[in-house]
């Protein structure tokens, strides 16, 4: 796995061993960032269920102002920290080695919205809907915040709509999908 574009293009990233994480492939990451290309420069980026930190590091490489990476798996956190140090992104990144819900409560205390929130939760557990519910009424999401969820193809999104989010775009791949959401009524 490598950084696809930007200031640290071509840097190889360390990924956790085992099956606890599923790194987003370079091809899918490139497609995602082609969609986001006009939104990355200067943005505040939140990467939930970060794995190796590859998505957030890609955002930083492409000009994000800052990125917060949340991951509770110890080996994955070790990889994130090595990747951040290796790419010299320490000054614009923050690693939160904890459960996503705990991290959201801590981030809420700062009271600043993110421009982009990306999450790649373990598939099939409904965690994306728990996060969407937790984000309701927080200062972490405003009318301009894009929320992107990477999930398996069999997930349907009626629950997200029930929670007050509008589906802006769905990009399907062979084995998974990216769903782009915003708070409903604030487009």
């Amino acid at each position: 796995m490598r950084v696809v574009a930007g200031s640290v293009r071509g840097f190889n990233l360390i990924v956790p061993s085992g099956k606890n994480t599923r790194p987003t492939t370079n091809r899918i990451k490139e497609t995602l960032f082609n969609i986001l290309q006009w939104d990355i420069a200067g943005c505040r980026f939140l990467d939930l269920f970060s794995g190796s930190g590859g998505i957030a590091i890609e955002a930083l490489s492409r000009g994000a102002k800052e990125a917060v990476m949340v991951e509770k798996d110890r080996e994955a956190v070790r990889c994130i920290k090595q990747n951040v140090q290796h790419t010299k992104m320490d000054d614009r990144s923050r690693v939160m080695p904890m459960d996503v819900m705990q991290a959201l409560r801590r981030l809420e205390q700062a009271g600043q919205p993110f421009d982009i929130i990306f999450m790649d939760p373990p598939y099939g557990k409904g965690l994306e809907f728990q996060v969407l519910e937790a984000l309701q009424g927080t200062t972490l999401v405003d009318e301009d915040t894009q929320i992107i969820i990477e999930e398996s193809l069999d997930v349907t999104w009626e629950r997200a709509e029930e929670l007050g989010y509008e589906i802006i775009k769905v990009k399907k791949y062979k084995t998974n999908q990216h769903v782009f959401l915003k708070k409903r009524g604030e487009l």
Side-chain angles (χ1 to χ4, degrees):
M1 195 167 121
R2 64 180 170 77
V3 179
V4 176
S7 63
V8 292
R9 178 183 179 185
F11 272 69
N12 288 320
L13 300 174
I14 300 164
V15 295
S17 60
K19 296 187 186 241
N20 287 342
T21 61
R22 289 175 330 279
T24 301
T25 66
N26 289 333
R27 183 183 64 74
I28 290 175
K29 186 167 41 172
E30 186 169 13
T31 300
L32 171 65
F33 281 94
N34 284 343
I35 293 168
L36 294 174
Q37 66 183 325
W38 307 113
D39 303 318
I40 293 296
C43 82
R44 293 188 72 233
F45 194 95
L46 177 59
D47 185 1
L48 303 173
F49 308 97
S50 245
S52 66
I55 295 291
I57 290 169
E58 187 74 35
L60 290 167
S61 179
R62 292 173 183 244
K65 178 173 66 174
E66 66 177 297
V68 176
M69 294 163 263
V70 179
E71 177 58 60
K72 72 176 183 178
D73 182 84
R74 285 184 184 175
E75 184 178 350
V77 168
R78 182 186 58 75
C79 289
I80 292 169
K81 288 179 178 180
Q82 287 179 340
N83 287 331
V84 166
Q85 185 177 25
H86 177 65
T87 57
K88 297 179 177 34
M89 297 290 183
D90 312 66
D91 60 330
R92 295 187 295 144
S93 63
R94 176 179 173 194
V95 180
M96 298 181 75
M98 62 187 66
D99 176 77
V100 165
M101 295 304 176
Q102 180 184 8
L104 292 176
R105 286 189 295 274
R106 285 199 186 168
L107 290 165
E108 171 66 10
Q109 293 171 358
Q112 292 184 311
F114 285 90
D115 299 298
I116 298 174
I117 299 175
F118 177 85
M119 67 178 103
D120 183 5
Y123 290 176
K125 297 187 178 190
L127 295 173
E128 62 277 8
F129 300 115
Q130 291 175 31
V131 171
L132 289 174
E133 191 168 357
L135 288 171
Q136 288 179 316
T138 69
T139 58
L140 301 176
V141 178
D142 69 13
E143 63 276 358
D144 297 319
T145 303
Q146 286 188 72
I147 301 170
I148 302 138
I149 304 170
E150 186 170 317
E151 235 323 335
S152 64
L153 289 171
D154 61 348
V155 173
T156 58
W157 300 99
E158 294 84 12
R159 177 81 176 116
E161 292 173 330
E162 291 169 7
L163 289 169
Y165 297 92
E166 186 166 344
I167 298 170
I168 305 303
K169 179 181 183 76
V170 177
K171 175 64 178 157
K172 294 189 178 201
Y173 308 98
K174 286 182 183 178
T175 60
N176 61 355
Q177 61 183 323
H178 281 139
V179 178
F180 297 74
L181 307 159
K182 283 201 173 189
K183 287 172 69 175
R184 185 180 301 119
E186 298 179 19
L187 299 174

